[in-house]
């Protein structure tokens, strides 16, 4: 029994010495982990600072781009509310008739369905100048009508202020701006629209309505994707408001622009 007790004591001493060595290794590892944690924390802070600096540079480039080359602004129209005009001409008109006229004014029949638009008739959005605008409610029927008219009418079109020209030009400029924004923001667009192809897709007398509508839908999808990536307030966006969504995206009030 005494010999067995001695052997047990020797084994316990070996285990104790081994436990001390493991404890020293544990302390070294913990110290190393603390150093790595401090280094990671410092690198994370530096990376966050670089991201903020990059976001500020992107923001400055975008604001410069949209103020010098592609300014987007709201253009007021001089149209009066038909409810106001009718009420002035007929003092006996009831309030229900006035409200119905106002409601009809805020409703647009677009692509086979009625669309409610509070800005209908009040404003339009201009790009590169107040003379190149898009309808605020996304109704591009003036372009379709012009294409149909050109198919039946011979001779050059001398009407330089034709809405179809401004719609085509505004959509082409919007496509160029969206492609440039995707490069600056480093965001991949879901729909591929190159400038050369979009010029042929949004211009021309023999252009089909289906092809034109398809190009516009791609453009609107890309704009919405950019707005989502920059955390634009969803309550401000509308799937048919091409330039208005762009205006909200590049607005200086967009806090996350450049993220």
């Amino acid at each position: 029994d005494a010999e067995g007790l001695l052997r047990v004591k020797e084994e316990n001493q070996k285990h104790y010495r081994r436990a001390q060595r493991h404890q020293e290794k544990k302390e070294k590892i913990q110290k190393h982990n603390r150093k790595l944690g401090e280094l990671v924390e410092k690198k994370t802070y530096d990376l966050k600072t670089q991201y903020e600096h990059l976001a500020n540079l992107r923001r400055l480039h975008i604001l410069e781009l949209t103020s010098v080359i592609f300014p987007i602004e709201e253009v007021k129209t001089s149209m009066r509310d038909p409810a106001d005009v009718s009420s002035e001409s007929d003092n006996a008109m009831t309030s229900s008739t006035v409200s119905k006229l106002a409601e009809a004014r805020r409703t647009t029949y677009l692509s086979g369905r009625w669309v409610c638009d509070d800005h209908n008739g009040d404003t339009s959005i201009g790009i590169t100048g107040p003379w190149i605008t898009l309808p605020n409610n996304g109704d591009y029927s003036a372009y379709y009508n012009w294409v149909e008219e050109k198919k039946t009418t011979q001779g050059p079109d001398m009407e330089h202020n034709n809405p179809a020209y401004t719609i085509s030009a505004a959509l082409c400029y919007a496509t160029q701006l969206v492609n440039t924004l995707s490069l600056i923001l480093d965001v991949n667009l879901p729909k591929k629209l190159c400038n050369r192809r979009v010029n042929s897709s949004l211009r021309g007398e023999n252009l089909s309505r289906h092809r034109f509508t398809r190009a516009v839908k791609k453009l609107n999808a890309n704009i919405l994707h950019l707005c989502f990536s920059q955390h634009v307030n969803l309550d401000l966006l509308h799937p048919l408001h091409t330039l208005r969504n762009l205006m909200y995206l590049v607005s200086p009030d967009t806090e996350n622009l450049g993220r």
Side-chain angles (χ1 to χ4, degrees):
D1 292 340
E3 292 175 356
L5 180 61
L6 182 61
R7 287 195 301 267
V8 171
K9 288 182 178 180
E10 291 177 354
E11 291 179 359
N12 288 340
Q13 289 178 357
K14 290 181 181 179
H15 290 314
Y16 179 75
R17 289 192 295 268
R18 184 181 299 175
Q20 284 184 331
R21 291 196 299 269
H22 289 170
Q23 182 65 26
E24 293 175 357
K25 290 183 179 180
K26 178 183 175 181
E27 292 176 355
K28 290 181 179 180
I29 293 175
Q30 289 178 344
K31 184 178 180 181
H32 181 68
N33 288 340
R34 284 195 296 270
K35 289 183 178 180
L36 287 180
E38 294 174 356
L39 181 62
V40 169
E41 184 178 356
K42 182 179 181 301
K43 293 293 185 181
T44 303
Y45 177 78
D46 293 340
L47 181 62
K48 183 179 178 180
T49 304
Q50 291 297 325
Y51 275 146
E52 293 177 353
H53 179 64
L54 179 60
N56 290 331
L57 288 179
R58 288 172 173 172
R59 185 184 183 90
L60 290 176
H61 287 322
I62 291 174
L63 294 180
E64 183 179 7
L65 177 68
T66 54
S67 63
V68 178
I69 303 178
F70 294 103
I72 302 177
E73 58 184 353
E74 195 170 14
V75 180
K76 296 289 184 179
T77 59
S78 59
M79 295 179 60
R80 299 183 62 189
D81 195 318
D84 298 337
V85 178
S86 300
S87 61
E88 291 178 359
S89 61
D90 187 5
N91 296 327
M93 179 174 290
T94 62
S95 59
S96 61
T97 306
V98 174
S99 62
K100 289 179 180 179
L101 284 173
E103 181 181 359
R105 176 175 171 268
R106 294 191 298 270
T107 308
T108 303
Y109 188 76
L110 184 60
S111 300
R113 62 189 181 93
W114 291 99
V115 178
C116 181
D117 183 13
D118 293 337
H119 302 282
N120 184 19
D122 290 337
T123 60
S124 57
I125 308 298
I127 183 170
T128 70
W131 52 87
I132 300 179
T133 61
L134 283 182
N136 185 63
N137 58 357
D139 182 11
Y140 304 141
S141 57
Y143 190 88
Y144 311 144
N145 298 335
W146 174 76
V147 172
E148 294 296 329
E149 183 179 355
K150 290 296 292 183
K151 291 180 180 178
T152 58
T153 305
Q154 301 295 330
D157 189 357
M158 302 304 294
E159 187 180 356
H160 298 291
N161 293 327
N162 193 317
Y165 293 148
T166 59
I167 289 175
S168 176
L171 291 174
C172 290
Y173 283 138
T175 303
Q176 296 177 19
L177 176 58
V178 168
N179 290 337
T180 306
L181 290 177
S182 68
L183 294 176
I184 296 176
L185 295 172
D186 194 22
V187 175
N188 294 325
L189 298 176
K191 305 295 182 180
K192 186 177 181 180
L193 273 179
C194 65
N195 296 331
R196 179 179 59 82
R197 290 183 179 179
V198 80
N199 286 333
S200 62
S201 299
L202 299 175
R203 299 175 62 183
E205 301 175 6
N206 299 323
L207 182 64
S208 65
R209 178 169 180 170
H210 172 73
R211 186 181 176 187
F212 177 84
T213 305
R214 186 167 176 266
V216 172
K217 287 182 178 179
K218 285 185 176 182
L219 175 60
N220 287 334
N222 288 341
I223 293 174
L224 288 176
H225 183 75
L226 287 178
C227 291
F228 298 154
S229 71
Q230 302 305 302
H231 292 177
V232 178
N233 187 0
L234 299 181
D235 296 333
L236 301 175
L237 303 178
H238 191 286
L240 299 179
H241 296 175
T242 307
L243 289 185
R244 183 171 289 276
N245 292 340
L246 260 181
M247 184 176 66
Y248 288 137
L249 171 64
V250 300
S251 172
D253 298 331
T254 304
E255 298 179 358
N256 296 299
L257 181 61
R259 63 179 295 275

